[in-house]
Amino acid sequence: MAMTREQAVEAIRTQADRDSGRDGRDFLREEDRRLEQFVLSAAGLTFDFAKHDVSGEAMAALLALANAVELDAAIQALARGEVANQTEGRAAQHMALRGGGKDEARKSQARAELDRALAFAEDIRSGAFTSSSDEAFTHILHIGIGGSDLGPRLIHDALSNPNAPVETRFLSSVDPDAFERATAGLDPATTLVFVVSKSFGTPETTLNMQSAIQWLEAGLEGGIGRHLVAATSQPDAARALGFSDERIFEMWDWVGGRYSLWSCVSLSVMAAIGRREFERLLGGAQRMDEHFIQARTAANAPAISALISWWHRTIRECQSWAVVPYAIKLRLLPGWLQQLSMESLGKSVTVDGAPLDGPAGPAVFGGEGPDSQHAFFQMLHQGKDAIPVDIIAFATGGEARHRTSLAANAVAQAEALLTGRNQDAAMAELTTKGLSQGEAQKLAPHMVMPGGRGSSFILGPELNAETLGALLAFYEHQTFVQSVLFGINAFDQFGVELGKKLASALEKELSAGESGLHDASTSALLRKIESYRR
Ligand code: F6P
């Protein structure tokens, strides 16, 4: 008989106790089949999980947990398009956006809209679709926030190049400086304003859209309709604001904003990189979908990664997770992943609304490799708390010496986290440098690095549209598996609502110079803002 979740968790804890005092260094030495078991391939990427402090037996116990929570059934239900967002009664069919999964009806619905968007993007690129003054568009102002910004911004930054026929500026924040920067040097006559909002009611996006429309009106002699394009699941709301039907692209409530980059939401990216490249991005993601749906759990890269994350969070009580791409083109990956992971897994109740009996997702942070090494890596190596890390690197691309140096740095950090440096090694290093025994003894404790710190190494042959698609889909699936293990809903985000509601009330008060009923600190802050303004 299959174990219950509780029994499986208990068995993992027992195994963790048995393994106590040992880590990846020991397991790599002792386990003959370790690399076979812990190094996986998926969609052209290699995933090396072997350095984690998870023994072969502990992994077997984690796989029993996956079995106990019926992970495979959950994956298949997600792929079929069943309701996965229980609180909102919706499917989560981001796989259908890229032709993956098993929901044929939604796949063809998504394909038709994608084809419309790709064709429109090609017309922008070629200059076939022109502005109100009959000129080719030179710029796109992409307005959106959260999932309507982070994904498109990331893939644009990763894949576009300076020779793109149109330049895209992204505008998400309501900070007046953000609007000024985004429009600096732009000519309304050749700028297309692309408003991305699933709800078409997000206050930040609405305000930026209103300002952009005013900016167009001030710079054009009529015909601003040709400059306005929308991507939304609320086409009526866009229509009501004057967007014309042929320039409204549809998304659906069965795709969460943070999972939507594969759709018309990325029209500005399609215009920058063209149809072929965008299709390659989707192709890479679809290959990862196939792997996710078909591979048995023990060989399933997103599932194993999620089980290891669950281990670090629940058994080792690690509160955070660092993600470090050794690729400048992926410098925006941590920001995208923060929303994907923390909006999906930042929950305290189960799917049924009961309080969680353990933790849920970790806090995510990260940055581009070499820069991060000179920023937060000190804490990864010698800080009190162990922080699991994902290191992402690519073997080829660009000038050989730089590429080699980059790859060497990525591998060296993973190795240093694992091997560490003990007191004897520190002493030897210091005395070789000429320090006296006494001086070396004083300094050595500062040089000791505990080691045994696990990292996942994700290696690709080259960073291109296809490997990028596979990588991003990997993280989407990894997030979903974590939610199944924690027993939470990955697809709602009620926590962000209250702040939005309060902001709108406060905005009215600030505009009218009034103050409603607030706690003493909030009231004092409002008074201070007013006094600075006077
Ligand atoms: O941050 C909250 C949120 O609801 C996200 O989930 C979403 O990606 C973002 O706002 C933007 O929402 P919309 O696309 O509806 O404007």
Side-chain angles (χ1 to χ4, degrees), residues 362-411:
V364 182
F365 70 101
E368 186 265 340
D371 288 334
S372 304
Q373 282 177 209
H374 297 272
F376 59 79
F377 264 63
Q378 164 63 30
M379 183 179 255
L380 302 185
H381 288 293
Q382 285 190 310
K384 281 281 281 175
D385 303 309
I387 299 174
V389 194
D390 276 14
I391 291 179
I392 301 162
F394 298 89
T396 66
E399 200 275 330
R401 216 173 119 209
H402 284 257
R403 174 60 54 194
T404 305
S405 168
L406 188 62
N409 269 282
V411 177

Short mmCIF file of all heavy atoms in Angstrom, two decimals, residues 362-411:
data_model
loop_
_atom_site.label_atom_id
_atom_site.label_comp_id
_atom_site.label_asym_id
_atom_site.label_seq_id
_atom_site.Cartn_x
_atom_site.Cartn_y
_atom_site.Cartn_z
N PRO A 362 10.63 29.09 -0.77
CA PRO A 362 11.70 29.93 -0.22
C PRO A 362 11.68 31.35 -0.79
O PRO A 362 11.01 31.60 -1.81
CB PRO A 362 12.96 29.21 -0.70
CG PRO A 362 12.55 28.61 -2.02
CD PRO A 362 11.08 28.26 -1.90
N ALA A 363 12.43 32.25 -0.16
CA ALA A 363 12.67 33.57 -0.75
C ALA A 363 13.72 33.39 -1.84
O ALA A 363 14.73 32.70 -1.63
CB ALA A 363 13.18 34.53 0.32
N VAL A 364 13.49 33.98 -2.98
CA VAL A 364 14.40 33.79 -4.12
C VAL A 364 15.19 35.07 -4.35
O VAL A 364 14.64 36.17 -4.32
CB VAL A 364 13.59 33.49 -5.41
CG1 VAL A 364 14.52 33.24 -6.59
CG2 VAL A 364 12.66 32.30 -5.21
N PHE A 365 16.47 34.92 -4.54
CA PHE A 365 17.27 36.07 -4.96
C PHE A 365 18.36 35.58 -5.89
O PHE A 365 18.57 34.37 -6.05
CB PHE A 365 17.87 36.81 -3.75
CG PHE A 365 18.95 36.04 -3.03
CD1 PHE A 365 20.29 36.33 -3.24
CD2 PHE A 365 18.64 35.01 -2.17
CE1 PHE A 365 21.30 35.63 -2.58
CE2 PHE A 365 19.63 34.30 -1.50
CZ PHE A 365 20.96 34.60 -1.70
N GLY A 366 19.05 36.49 -6.51
CA GLY A 366 20.11 36.05 -7.41
C GLY A 366 20.62 37.19 -8.25
O GLY A 366 20.27 38.35 -8.05
N GLY A 367 21.48 36.85 -9.18
CA GLY A 367 22.06 37.85 -10.06
C GLY A 367 23.00 37.19 -11.03
O GLY A 367 23.29 35.99 -10.91
N GLU A 368 23.48 37.95 -11.96
CA GLU A 368 24.38 37.42 -12.99
C GLU A 368 25.70 36.98 -12.33
O GLU A 368 26.18 37.63 -11.38
CB GLU A 368 24.60 38.52 -14.02
CG GLU A 368 25.37 38.10 -15.23
CD GLU A 368 26.84 38.42 -15.11
OE1 GLU A 368 27.20 39.29 -14.28
OE2 GLU A 368 27.64 37.80 -15.83
N GLY A 369 26.28 35.87 -12.81
CA GLY A 369 27.38 35.19 -12.15
C GLY A 369 28.54 36.03 -11.66
O GLY A 369 28.67 36.29 -10.44
N PRO A 370 29.42 36.49 -12.57
CA PRO A 370 30.62 37.20 -12.08
C PRO A 370 30.30 38.38 -11.17
O PRO A 370 30.98 38.58 -10.16
CB PRO A 370 31.29 37.66 -13.38
CG PRO A 370 30.88 36.61 -14.37
CD PRO A 370 29.48 36.24 -14.00
N ASP A 371 29.25 39.15 -11.46
CA ASP A 371 28.91 40.28 -10.59
C ASP A 371 28.48 39.79 -9.21
O ASP A 371 28.84 40.38 -8.19
CB ASP A 371 27.81 41.14 -11.20
CG ASP A 371 28.31 41.95 -12.39
OD1 ASP A 371 29.53 42.23 -12.44
OD2 ASP A 371 27.50 42.29 -13.27
N SER A 372 27.71 38.71 -9.19
CA SER A 372 27.22 38.19 -7.90
C SER A 372 28.37 37.65 -7.06
O SER A 372 28.33 37.72 -5.82
CB SER A 372 26.20 37.07 -8.12
OG SER A 372 25.16 37.53 -8.92
N GLN A 373 29.38 37.09 -7.72
CA GLN A 373 30.54 36.58 -6.98
C GLN A 373 31.16 37.67 -6.13
O GLN A 373 31.73 37.41 -5.08
CB GLN A 373 31.60 36.04 -7.95
CG GLN A 373 31.26 34.68 -8.51
CD GLN A 373 32.28 34.19 -9.53
OE1 GLN A 373 31.91 33.43 -10.40
NE2 GLN A 373 33.53 34.61 -9.44
N HIS A 374 31.06 38.90 -6.63
CA HIS A 374 31.66 40.03 -5.91
C HIS A 374 30.63 40.78 -5.09
O HIS A 374 30.85 41.92 -4.71
CB HIS A 374 32.37 40.96 -6.90
CG HIS A 374 33.51 40.27 -7.60
ND1 HIS A 374 34.78 40.25 -7.07
CD2 HIS A 374 33.54 39.52 -8.72
CE1 HIS A 374 35.57 39.53 -7.87
NE2 HIS A 374 34.84 39.08 -8.87
N ALA A 375 29.48 40.15 -4.89
CA ALA A 375 28.44 40.80 -4.09
C ALA A 375 28.00 39.85 -2.98
O ALA A 375 28.52 39.91 -1.88
CB ALA A 375 27.27 41.19 -4.98
N PHE A 376 27.10 38.89 -3.28
CA PHE A 376 26.55 38.09 -2.19
C PHE A 376 27.19 36.70 -2.01
O PHE A 376 26.80 35.96 -1.12
CB PHE A 376 25.03 37.96 -2.33
CG PHE A 376 24.55 37.34 -3.62
CD1 PHE A 376 24.59 35.97 -3.80
CD2 PHE A 376 24.03 38.14 -4.64
CE1 PHE A 376 24.13 35.39 -4.97
CE2 PHE A 376 23.58 37.57 -5.81
CZ PHE A 376 23.63 36.20 -5.99
N PHE A 377 28.16 36.34 -2.84
CA PHE A 377 28.73 34.99 -2.74
C PHE A 377 29.48 34.76 -1.42
O PHE A 377 29.60 33.63 -0.95
CB PHE A 377 29.65 34.69 -3.93
CG PHE A 377 28.93 33.93 -5.01
CD1 PHE A 377 27.85 34.48 -5.66
CD2 PHE A 377 29.32 32.65 -5.37
CE1 PHE A 377 27.17 33.78 -6.65
CE2 PHE A 377 28.65 31.93 -6.36
CZ PHE A 377 27.58 32.50 -7.01
N GLN A 378 30.02 35.84 -0.84
CA GLN A 378 30.68 35.68 0.46
C GLN A 378 29.75 34.97 1.44
O GLN A 378 30.14 34.06 2.16
CB GLN A 378 31.08 37.07 0.98
CG GLN A 378 31.45 37.14 2.45
CD GLN A 378 32.67 36.29 2.82
OE1 GLN A 378 33.56 36.10 2.01
NE2 GLN A 378 32.69 35.76 4.04
N MET A 379 28.48 35.40 1.45
CA MET A 379 27.52 34.79 2.37
C MET A 379 27.24 33.33 2.00
O MET A 379 27.06 32.48 2.88
CB MET A 379 26.23 35.59 2.40
CG MET A 379 25.23 35.04 3.39
SD MET A 379 23.73 36.00 3.44
CE MET A 379 23.94 36.86 4.98
N LEU A 380 27.21 33.03 0.71
CA LEU A 380 26.98 31.65 0.30
C LEU A 380 28.10 30.74 0.81
O LEU A 380 27.87 29.62 1.23
CB LEU A 380 26.88 31.52 -1.23
CG LEU A 380 25.81 32.35 -1.95
CD1 LEU A 380 25.78 31.99 -3.43
CD2 LEU A 380 24.43 32.13 -1.35
N HIS A 381 29.32 31.27 0.78
CA HIS A 381 30.47 30.44 1.15
C HIS A 381 30.67 30.36 2.67
O HIS A 381 31.03 29.32 3.19
CB HIS A 381 31.75 30.98 0.50
CG HIS A 381 31.80 30.73 -0.98
ND1 HIS A 381 31.89 29.48 -1.52
CD2 HIS A 381 31.77 31.59 -2.04
CE1 HIS A 381 31.93 29.55 -2.85
NE2 HIS A 381 31.85 30.82 -3.19
N GLN A 382 30.52 31.49 3.35
CA GLN A 382 30.90 31.50 4.77
C GLN A 382 29.80 31.96 5.73
O GLN A 382 30.03 31.98 6.93
CB GLN A 382 32.12 32.41 4.97
CG GLN A 382 33.43 31.79 4.48
CD GLN A 382 34.63 32.60 4.93
OE1 GLN A 382 34.66 33.80 4.75
NE2 GLN A 382 35.62 31.94 5.51
N GLY A 383 28.63 32.34 5.18
CA GLY A 383 27.56 32.78 6.07
C GLY A 383 27.10 31.64 6.97
O GLY A 383 27.34 30.46 6.68
N LYS A 384 26.42 31.98 8.06
CA LYS A 384 25.98 30.97 9.02
C LYS A 384 24.97 30.00 8.40
O LYS A 384 24.94 28.83 8.72
CB LYS A 384 25.31 31.65 10.23
CG LYS A 384 26.27 32.23 11.22
CD LYS A 384 26.88 31.17 12.14
CE LYS A 384 25.93 30.76 13.26
NZ LYS A 384 26.50 29.67 14.05
N ASP A 385 24.09 30.55 7.55
CA ASP A 385 23.03 29.70 6.99
C ASP A 385 23.44 29.17 5.63
O ASP A 385 23.92 29.93 4.78
CB ASP A 385 21.74 30.50 6.83
CG ASP A 385 21.29 31.09 8.15
OD1 ASP A 385 21.21 30.33 9.12
OD2 ASP A 385 21.06 32.31 8.20
N ALA A 386 23.20 27.89 5.42
CA ALA A 386 23.44 27.33 4.09
C ALA A 386 22.30 27.79 3.16
O ALA A 386 21.14 27.75 3.54
CB ALA A 386 23.47 25.82 4.16
N ILE A 387 22.67 28.25 2.00
CA ILE A 387 21.67 28.69 1.01
C ILE A 387 21.86 27.87 -0.25
O ILE A 387 22.91 27.97 -0.89
CB ILE A 387 21.84 30.21 0.71
CG1 ILE A 387 21.64 31.03 1.97
CG2 ILE A 387 20.86 30.65 -0.39
CD1 ILE A 387 21.93 32.52 1.82
N PRO A 388 20.88 27.05 -0.63
CA PRO A 388 21.05 26.30 -1.87
C PRO A 388 21.10 27.23 -3.08
O PRO A 388 20.48 28.30 -3.07
CB PRO A 388 19.81 25.39 -1.92
CG PRO A 388 18.85 25.95 -0.94
CD PRO A 388 19.60 26.78 0.05
N VAL A 389 21.85 26.82 -4.08
CA VAL A 389 22.07 27.69 -5.24
C VAL A 389 21.80 26.91 -6.53
O VAL A 389 22.17 25.74 -6.63
CB VAL A 389 23.55 28.15 -5.33
CG1 VAL A 389 23.70 29.31 -6.30
CG2 VAL A 389 24.11 28.50 -3.99
N ASP A 390 21.21 27.59 -7.49
CA ASP A 390 21.17 27.08 -8.87
C ASP A 390 22.20 27.88 -9.65
O ASP A 390 22.13 29.11 -9.68
CB ASP A 390 19.80 27.32 -9.52
CG ASP A 390 18.80 26.24 -9.17
OD1 ASP A 390 19.05 25.46 -8.23
OD2 ASP A 390 17.75 26.19 -9.84
N ILE A 391 23.15 27.18 -10.25
CA ILE A 391 24.12 27.85 -11.11
C ILE A 391 23.80 27.45 -12.55
O ILE A 391 23.64 26.26 -12.84
CB ILE A 391 25.56 27.44 -10.71
CG1 ILE A 391 25.88 28.03 -9.33
CG2 ILE A 391 26.58 27.90 -11.76
CD1 ILE A 391 27.24 27.69 -8.79
N ILE A 392 23.68 28.44 -13.41
CA ILE A 392 23.30 28.17 -14.80
C ILE A 392 24.44 28.62 -15.70
O ILE A 392 24.94 29.75 -15.56
CB ILE A 392 22.02 28.96 -15.15
CG1 ILE A 392 20.88 28.55 -14.20
CG2 ILE A 392 21.60 28.72 -16.61
CD1 ILE A 392 19.74 29.54 -14.16
N ALA A 393 24.89 27.75 -16.59
CA ALA A 393 26.01 28.14 -17.47
C ALA A 393 25.85 27.50 -18.84
O ALA A 393 25.10 26.53 -19.00
CB ALA A 393 27.33 27.72 -16.84
N PHE A 394 26.57 28.05 -19.80
CA PHE A 394 26.53 27.55 -21.18
C PHE A 394 27.95 27.31 -21.66
O PHE A 394 28.85 28.09 -21.37
CB PHE A 394 25.78 28.55 -22.08
CG PHE A 394 24.36 28.72 -21.63
CD1 PHE A 394 24.02 29.68 -20.68
CD2 PHE A 394 23.37 27.88 -22.10
CE1 PHE A 394 22.71 29.81 -20.22
CE2 PHE A 394 22.06 27.99 -21.65
CZ PHE A 394 21.73 28.96 -20.71
N ALA A 395 28.12 26.22 -22.41
CA ALA A 395 29.48 25.79 -22.77
C ALA A 395 30.08 26.60 -23.91
O ALA A 395 31.30 26.78 -23.96
CB ALA A 395 29.46 24.31 -23.14
N THR A 396 29.27 27.07 -24.83
CA THR A 396 29.82 27.76 -26.01
C THR A 396 29.12 29.10 -26.25
O THR A 396 28.07 29.37 -25.67
CB THR A 396 29.66 26.91 -27.28
OG1 THR A 396 28.26 26.79 -27.57
CG2 THR A 396 30.27 25.53 -27.14
N GLY A 397 29.71 29.87 -27.16
CA GLY A 397 29.11 31.15 -27.55
C GLY A 397 30.06 32.30 -27.28
O GLY A 397 30.60 32.41 -26.18
N GLY A 398 30.29 33.11 -28.31
CA GLY A 398 31.11 34.31 -28.13
C GLY A 398 32.60 34.02 -28.14
O GLY A 398 33.04 32.91 -28.46
N GLU A 399 33.34 35.01 -27.74
CA GLU A 399 34.80 34.95 -27.80
C GLU A 399 35.32 33.85 -26.84
O GLU A 399 34.89 33.78 -25.67
CB GLU A 399 35.34 36.34 -27.41
CG GLU A 399 36.75 36.60 -27.85
CD GLU A 399 37.78 36.06 -26.87
OE1 GLU A 399 37.48 36.01 -25.66
OE2 GLU A 399 38.87 35.68 -27.31
N ALA A 400 36.22 33.03 -27.34
CA ALA A 400 36.59 31.80 -26.62
C ALA A 400 37.19 32.04 -25.23
O ALA A 400 36.85 31.36 -24.27
CB ALA A 400 37.55 30.97 -27.47
N ARG A 401 38.09 33.04 -25.12
CA ARG A 401 38.74 33.25 -23.83
C ARG A 401 37.73 33.69 -22.76
O ARG A 401 37.75 33.23 -21.62
CB ARG A 401 39.84 34.31 -23.99
CG ARG A 401 41.05 33.99 -23.15
CD ARG A 401 42.18 34.94 -23.43
NE ARG A 401 42.49 35.65 -22.20
CZ ARG A 401 42.99 36.88 -22.15
NH1 ARG A 401 43.23 37.53 -23.27
NH2 ARG A 401 43.26 37.44 -21.01
N HIS A 402 36.84 34.58 -23.15
CA HIS A 402 35.82 35.04 -22.22
C HIS A 402 34.89 33.90 -21.83
O HIS A 402 34.52 33.73 -20.67
CB HIS A 402 35.01 36.18 -22.84
CG HIS A 402 35.73 37.49 -22.85
ND1 HIS A 402 35.46 38.49 -21.96
CD2 HIS A 402 36.74 37.94 -23.63
CE1 HIS A 402 36.26 39.52 -22.18
NE2 HIS A 402 37.05 39.20 -23.20
N ARG A 403 34.50 33.12 -22.85
CA ARG A 403 33.58 32.00 -22.59
C ARG A 403 34.21 31.01 -21.62
O ARG A 403 33.57 30.53 -20.69
CB ARG A 403 33.22 31.34 -23.94
CG ARG A 403 32.40 30.08 -23.86
CD ARG A 403 31.05 30.26 -23.20
NE ARG A 403 30.26 31.32 -23.78
CZ ARG A 403 29.17 31.84 -23.22
NH1 ARG A 403 28.73 31.39 -22.06
NH2 ARG A 403 28.49 32.81 -23.80
N THR A 404 35.51 30.72 -21.85
CA THR A 404 36.20 29.75 -21.00
C THR A 404 36.29 30.28 -19.57
O THR A 404 36.04 29.56 -18.59
CB THR A 404 37.61 29.47 -21.56
OG1 THR A 404 37.46 29.05 -22.91
CG2 THR A 404 38.32 28.39 -20.78
N SER A 405 36.62 31.55 -19.44
CA SER A 405 36.74 32.14 -18.11
C SER A 405 35.39 32.09 -17.39
O SER A 405 35.31 31.75 -16.19
CB SER A 405 37.23 33.59 -18.25
OG SER A 405 37.09 34.26 -17.04
N LEU A 406 34.33 32.40 -18.11
CA LEU A 406 32.98 32.40 -17.52
C LEU A 406 32.61 31.00 -17.03
O LEU A 406 32.14 30.82 -15.90
CB LEU A 406 31.98 32.89 -18.57
CG LEU A 406 30.57 33.15 -18.12
CD1 LEU A 406 30.51 34.26 -17.09
CD2 LEU A 406 29.69 33.52 -19.32
N ALA A 407 32.83 30.02 -17.89
CA ALA A 407 32.48 28.64 -17.53
C ALA A 407 33.32 28.17 -16.34
O ALA A 407 32.80 27.53 -15.41
CB ALA A 407 32.69 27.72 -18.73
N ALA A 408 34.61 28.52 -16.35
CA ALA A 408 35.49 28.10 -15.26
C ALA A 408 35.01 28.70 -13.94
O ALA A 408 35.00 28.03 -12.90
CB ALA A 408 36.93 28.54 -15.55
N ASN A 409 34.60 29.96 -13.98
CA ASN A 409 34.10 30.60 -12.76
C ASN A 409 32.86 29.91 -12.23
O ASN A 409 32.72 29.70 -11.02
CB ASN A 409 33.79 32.07 -13.02
CG ASN A 409 34.99 32.95 -12.75
OD1 ASN A 409 35.28 33.24 -11.60
ND2 ASN A 409 35.70 33.33 -13.79
N ALA A 410 31.96 29.56 -13.14
CA ALA A 410 30.71 28.90 -12.71
C ALA A 410 31.01 27.58 -12.02
O ALA A 410 30.53 27.29 -10.92
CB ALA A 410 29.81 28.68 -13.93
N VAL A 411 31.87 26.77 -12.66
CA VAL A 411 32.18 25.45 -12.11
C VAL A 411 32.96 25.61 -10.80
O VAL A 411 32.73 24.88 -9.82
CB VAL A 411 32.97 24.60 -13.14
CG1 VAL A 411 33.36 23.26 -12.54
CG2 VAL A 411 32.13 24.38 -14.40
#
